[in-house]
Amino acid sequence: RQPGEPQPPSMPPPASRLSLATVLQEVGVHARGKEGSDFLWQSLQTCSDSDRAQICDAMLAEVAPLSMDDYGNHVVQALVERVTPYEVSRILDAMEEHIEELSRHRHGSRVLQKMSELFPKETCGRLEAALDVDENVLFRCIKCQYGNHVVQQVLQHASAYFIDHTVKALEAKNNLEDTACHIYGNRILQQLFERCKALDCIDIVKCLCHRIDKCALDLCHDKFGNYVIQSLLEHCDFEEQRTLVGLLRDNVVSLAKEKYSEHVLEKCISVLNADPTDEARLLECSALTHKVMEAKVKGRYIVEELMDDWYGKNLVAHLVNNCSERDEGIVEKRMSQLYDKIEEKKILQALKERFNMDW
């Protein structure tokens, strides 16, 4: 086309050569190709219930391998979005022998997650049973880049029985610290604590809590283990919180000067001061606040020592922002005394907002 020449009219796309009847005759072949998978996906968005039932029936025999196919998995996910609970049960029957393989596959895991999200009642019980067969199956999924997402999804809806099974499997392996420090394993422990709190059965994980207490300091300093301690602080009962807080308080200086453990201290303060009517937790946090503000190390107040540290100054700012009303007096008094030595803008801003201290 020459410059200035009018744009030719756009041509309509050619009509698809496919029809539902021909595709369903070899659905496994068509679903694995781009054109066929696109056709099936589009059909599932607008088809009638009877057509959807035909597609479901045709795909059942190959639903597991299709779930792991680059194109086929999108068709299976689209099908899951339209099916009835009865049809989901039939799909799960067809997948039963392939649950572990699907869980650890990048596409298969997405299909199982989709089914768990849309049909948790029908799906999660089946997945629990598959993961409950052998603790090695559970651990292979926990440590897998894709499988851990499936286990997390199951734990969101898990029964107390499955939680108990998971806890016993973690105990039997005798490598709880390794799991807590694992890039994927730490997520499972976090989800486990959260689900136990939701079910009001936190006692089930007591044995894990006692073992975590023994390596808590190491976990606080770990890139992934620190998230396990934060989750435990948020979801465990008061007795476990008090044990952890005592450990954090005794080691506050070293913990506040490390990247990951400083986040644990921030979480500790936020959790303990979250409820202004919870006197027991407020007292525990008050003891931590008073140690930071009144105790000395190397002849200096701990808060003064932390203000000179790259990570410690973040804790000071967080403490100013989140201290309880009962601790406002000691925090304001100490920070007023040290105000001329403060250089960190984050701390100055926190003091201005909380106590109206200004230049």
Side-chain angles (χ1 to χ4, degrees), residues 6-18:
Q7 179 75 30
S10 57
M11 299 296 293
S16 175
R17 296 167 298 170
L18 299 175

mmCIF file with all atom_site columns, all heavy atoms in Angstrom, residues 6-18:
data_model
loop_
_atom_site.group_PDB
_atom_site.id
_atom_site.type_symbol
_atom_site.label_atom_id
_atom_site.label_alt_id
_atom_site.label_comp_id
_atom_site.label_asym_id
_atom_site.label_entity_id
_atom_site.label_seq_id
_atom_site.pdbx_PDB_ins_code
_atom_site.Cartn_x
_atom_site.Cartn_y
_atom_site.Cartn_z
_atom_site.occupancy
_atom_site.B_iso_or_equiv
_atom_site.pdbx_formal_charge
_atom_site.auth_seq_id
_atom_site.auth_comp_id
_atom_site.auth_asym_id
_atom_site.auth_atom_id
_atom_site.pdbx_PDB_model_num
ATOM 1  N N   . PRO A 1 6  ? -5.969  4.570   0.663  1.00 0.00 ? 6  PRO A N   1
ATOM 2  C CA  . PRO A 1 6  ? -6.911  4.183   1.729  1.00 0.00 ? 6  PRO A CA  1
ATOM 3  C C   . PRO A 1 6  ? -6.678  2.752   2.210  1.00 0.00 ? 6  PRO A C   1
ATOM 4  O O   . PRO A 1 6  ? -6.228  1.889   1.459  1.00 0.00 ? 6  PRO A O   1
ATOM 5  C CB  . PRO A 1 6  ? -8.278  4.327   1.064  1.00 0.00 ? 6  PRO A CB  1
ATOM 6  C CG  . PRO A 1 6  ? -8.014  4.221   -0.400 1.00 0.00 ? 6  PRO A CG  1
ATOM 7  C CD  . PRO A 1 6  ? -6.655  4.841   -0.605 1.00 0.00 ? 6  PRO A CD  1
ATOM 8  N N   . GLN A 1 7  ? -6.981  2.556   3.472  1.00 0.00 ? 7  GLN A N   1
ATOM 9  C CA  . GLN A 1 7  ? -6.844  1.238   4.086  1.00 0.00 ? 7  GLN A CA  1
ATOM 10 C C   . GLN A 1 7  ? -7.855  0.272   3.476  1.00 0.00 ? 7  GLN A C   1
ATOM 11 O O   . GLN A 1 7  ? -9.042  0.587   3.374  1.00 0.00 ? 7  GLN A O   1
ATOM 12 C CB  . GLN A 1 7  ? -7.091  1.342   5.594  1.00 0.00 ? 7  GLN A CB  1
ATOM 13 C CG  . GLN A 1 7  ? -7.012  0.029   6.353  1.00 0.00 ? 7  GLN A CG  1
ATOM 14 C CD  . GLN A 1 7  ? -5.591  -0.441  6.520  1.00 0.00 ? 7  GLN A CD  1
ATOM 15 O OE1 . GLN A 1 7  ? -4.678  0.374   6.595  1.00 0.00 ? 7  GLN A OE1 1
ATOM 16 N NE2 . GLN A 1 7  ? -5.386  -1.736  6.567  1.00 0.00 ? 7  GLN A NE2 1
ATOM 17 N N   . PRO A 1 8  ? -7.426  -0.904  3.005  1.00 0.00 ? 8  PRO A N   1
ATOM 18 C CA  . PRO A 1 8  ? -8.393  -1.865  2.447  1.00 0.00 ? 8  PRO A CA  1
ATOM 19 C C   . PRO A 1 8  ? -9.331  -2.362  3.533  1.00 0.00 ? 8  PRO A C   1
ATOM 20 O O   . PRO A 1 8  ? -8.961  -2.416  4.707  1.00 0.00 ? 8  PRO A O   1
ATOM 21 C CB  . PRO A 1 8  ? -7.498  -2.994  1.925  1.00 0.00 ? 8  PRO A CB  1
ATOM 22 C CG  . PRO A 1 8  ? -6.245  -2.886  2.712  1.00 0.00 ? 8  PRO A CG  1
ATOM 23 C CD  . PRO A 1 8  ? -6.052  -1.422  2.990  1.00 0.00 ? 8  PRO A CD  1
ATOM 24 N N   . PRO A 1 9  ? -10.543 -2.733  3.182  1.00 0.00 ? 9  PRO A N   1
ATOM 25 C CA  . PRO A 1 9  ? -11.494 -3.222  4.188  1.00 0.00 ? 9  PRO A CA  1
ATOM 26 C C   . PRO A 1 9  ? -10.979 -4.508  4.825  1.00 0.00 ? 9  PRO A C   1
ATOM 27 O O   . PRO A 1 9  ? -10.386 -5.355  4.157  1.00 0.00 ? 9  PRO A O   1
ATOM 28 C CB  . PRO A 1 9  ? -12.771 -3.461  3.386  1.00 0.00 ? 9  PRO A CB  1
ATOM 29 C CG  . PRO A 1 9  ? -12.310 -3.646  1.977  1.00 0.00 ? 9  PRO A CG  1
ATOM 30 C CD  . PRO A 1 9  ? -11.099 -2.765  1.823  1.00 0.00 ? 9  PRO A CD  1
ATOM 31 N N   . SER A 1 10 ? -11.181 -4.604  6.138  1.00 0.00 ? 10 SER A N   1
ATOM 32 C CA  . SER A 1 10 ? -10.725 -5.812  6.832  1.00 0.00 ? 10 SER A CA  1
ATOM 33 C C   . SER A 1 10 ? -11.618 -6.982  6.473  1.00 0.00 ? 10 SER A C   1
ATOM 34 O O   . SER A 1 10 ? -12.838 -6.847  6.367  1.00 0.00 ? 10 SER A O   1
ATOM 35 C CB  . SER A 1 10 ? -10.747 -5.583  8.352  1.00 0.00 ? 10 SER A CB  1
ATOM 36 O OG  . SER A 1 10 ? -12.045 -5.222  8.763  1.00 0.00 ? 10 SER A OG  1
ATOM 37 N N   . MET A 1 11 ? -10.988 -8.138  6.303  1.00 0.00 ? 11 MET A N   1
ATOM 38 C CA  . MET A 1 11 ? -11.733 -9.339  5.925  1.00 0.00 ? 11 MET A CA  1
ATOM 39 C C   . MET A 1 11 ? -12.170 -10.077 7.185  1.00 0.00 ? 11 MET A C   1
ATOM 40 O O   . MET A 1 11 ? -11.402 -10.188 8.150  1.00 0.00 ? 11 MET A O   1
ATOM 41 C CB  . MET A 1 11 ? -10.860 -10.250 5.066  1.00 0.00 ? 11 MET A CB  1
ATOM 42 C CG  . MET A 1 11 ? -10.415 -9.607  3.764  1.00 0.00 ? 11 MET A CG  1
ATOM 43 S SD  . MET A 1 11 ? -11.813 -9.240  2.681  1.00 0.00 ? 11 MET A SD  1
ATOM 44 C CE  . MET A 1 11 ? -12.335 -10.907 2.279  1.00 0.00 ? 11 MET A CE  1
ATOM 45 N N   . PRO A 1 12 ? -13.357 -10.598 7.215  1.00 0.00 ? 12 PRO A N   1
ATOM 46 C CA  . PRO A 1 12 ? -13.789 -11.371 8.384  1.00 0.00 ? 12 PRO A CA  1
ATOM 47 C C   . PRO A 1 12 ? -12.984 -12.653 8.493  1.00 0.00 ? 12 PRO A C   1
ATOM 48 O O   . PRO A 1 12 ? -12.521 -13.190 7.481  1.00 0.00 ? 12 PRO A O   1
ATOM 49 C CB  . PRO A 1 12 ? -15.266 -11.663 8.088  1.00 0.00 ? 12 PRO A CB  1
ATOM 50 C CG  . PRO A 1 12 ? -15.367 -11.596 6.597  1.00 0.00 ? 12 PRO A CG  1
ATOM 51 C CD  . PRO A 1 12 ? -14.381 -10.554 6.164  1.00 0.00 ? 12 PRO A CD  1
ATOM 52 N N   . PRO A 1 13 ? -12.751 -13.118 9.733  1.00 0.00 ? 13 PRO A N   1
ATOM 53 C CA  . PRO A 1 13 ? -11.988 -14.360 9.896  1.00 0.00 ? 13 PRO A CA  1
ATOM 54 C C   . PRO A 1 13 ? -12.737 -15.522 9.275  1.00 0.00 ? 13 PRO A C   1
ATOM 55 O O   . PRO A 1 13 ? -13.966 -15.546 9.232  1.00 0.00 ? 13 PRO A O   1
ATOM 56 C CB  . PRO A 1 13 ? -11.898 -14.520 11.424 1.00 0.00 ? 13 PRO A CB  1
ATOM 57 C CG  . PRO A 1 13 ? -13.044 -13.731 11.956 1.00 0.00 ? 13 PRO A CG  1
ATOM 58 C CD  . PRO A 1 13 ? -13.248 -12.593 11.007 1.00 0.00 ? 13 PRO A CD  1
ATOM 59 N N   . PRO A 1 14 ? -12.007 -16.490 8.741  1.00 0.00 ? 14 PRO A N   1
ATOM 60 C CA  . PRO A 1 14 ? -12.673 -17.650 8.134  1.00 0.00 ? 14 PRO A CA  1
ATOM 61 C C   . PRO A 1 14 ? -13.449 -18.444 9.173  1.00 0.00 ? 14 PRO A C   1
ATOM 62 O O   . PRO A 1 14 ? -13.045 -18.555 10.321 1.00 0.00 ? 14 PRO A O   1
ATOM 63 C CB  . PRO A 1 14 ? -11.503 -18.470 7.580  1.00 0.00 ? 14 PRO A CB  1
ATOM 64 C CG  . PRO A 1 14 ? -10.323 -18.048 8.381  1.00 0.00 ? 14 PRO A CG  1
ATOM 65 C CD  . PRO A 1 14 ? -10.540 -16.611 8.712  1.00 0.00 ? 14 PRO A CD  1
ATOM 66 N N   . ALA A 1 15 ? -14.570 -18.976 8.770  1.00 0.00 ? 15 ALA A N   1
ATOM 67 C CA  . ALA A 1 15 ? -15.378 -19.778 9.687  1.00 0.00 ? 15 ALA A CA  1
ATOM 68 C C   . ALA A 1 15 ? -14.599 -21.020 10.121 1.00 0.00 ? 15 ALA A C   1
ATOM 69 O O   . ALA A 1 15 ? -13.853 -21.606 9.344  1.00 0.00 ? 15 ALA A O   1
ATOM 70 C CB  . ALA A 1 15 ? -16.676 -20.185 8.998  1.00 0.00 ? 15 ALA A CB  1
ATOM 71 N N   . SER A 1 16 ? -14.768 -21.392 11.386 1.00 0.00 ? 16 SER A N   1
ATOM 72 C CA  . SER A 1 16 ? -14.053 -22.547 11.897 1.00 0.00 ? 16 SER A CA  1
ATOM 73 C C   . SER A 1 16 ? -14.457 -23.802 11.128 1.00 0.00 ? 16 SER A C   1
ATOM 74 O O   . SER A 1 16 ? -15.625 -24.009 10.821 1.00 0.00 ? 16 SER A O   1
ATOM 75 C CB  . SER A 1 16 ? -14.356 -22.725 13.385 1.00 0.00 ? 16 SER A CB  1
ATOM 76 O OG  . SER A 1 16 ? -13.766 -23.906 13.852 1.00 0.00 ? 16 SER A OG  1
ATOM 77 N N   . ARG A 1 17 ? -13.473 -24.609 10.853 1.00 0.00 ? 17 ARG A N   1
ATOM 78 C CA  . ARG A 1 17 ? -13.743 -25.866 10.152 1.00 0.00 ? 17 ARG A CA  1
ATOM 79 C C   . ARG A 1 17 ? -14.229 -26.943 11.105 1.00 0.00 ? 17 ARG A C   1
ATOM 80 O O   . ARG A 1 17 ? -14.564 -28.038 10.693 1.00 0.00 ? 17 ARG A O   1
ATOM 81 C CB  . ARG A 1 17 ? -12.473 -26.336 9.449  1.00 0.00 ? 17 ARG A CB  1
ATOM 82 C CG  . ARG A 1 17 ? -11.984 -25.405 8.352  1.00 0.00 ? 17 ARG A CG  1
ATOM 83 C CD  . ARG A 1 17 ? -10.579 -25.768 7.928  1.00 0.00 ? 17 ARG A CD  1
ATOM 84 N NE  . ARG A 1 17 ? -9.640  -25.628 9.026  1.00 0.00 ? 17 ARG A NE  1
ATOM 85 C CZ  . ARG A 1 17 ? -8.381  -26.062 8.989  1.00 0.00 ? 17 ARG A CZ  1
ATOM 86 N NH1 . ARG A 1 17 ? -7.936  -26.696 7.915  1.00 0.00 ? 17 ARG A NH1 1
ATOM 87 N NH2 . ARG A 1 17 ? -7.580  -25.869 10.017 1.00 0.00 ? 17 ARG A NH2 1
ATOM 88 N N   . LEU A 1 18 ? -14.218 -26.629 12.398 1.00 0.00 ? 18 LEU A N   1
ATOM 89 C CA  . LEU A 1 18 ? -14.562 -27.636 13.391 1.00 0.00 ? 18 LEU A CA  1
ATOM 90 C C   . LEU A 1 18 ? -16.024 -27.520 13.803 1.00 0.00 ? 18 LEU A C   1
ATOM 91 O O   . LEU A 1 18 ? -16.620 -26.448 13.779 1.00 0.00 ? 18 LEU A O   1
ATOM 92 C CB  . LEU A 1 18 ? -13.683 -27.466 14.628 1.00 0.00 ? 18 LEU A CB  1
ATOM 93 C CG  . LEU A 1 18 ? -12.167 -27.613 14.420 1.00 0.00 ? 18 LEU A CG  1
ATOM 94 C CD1 . LEU A 1 18 ? -11.422 -27.300 15.704 1.00 0.00 ? 18 LEU A CD1 1
ATOM 95 C CD2 . LEU A 1 18 ? -11.826 -29.018 13.942 1.00 0.00 ? 18 LEU A CD2 1
#
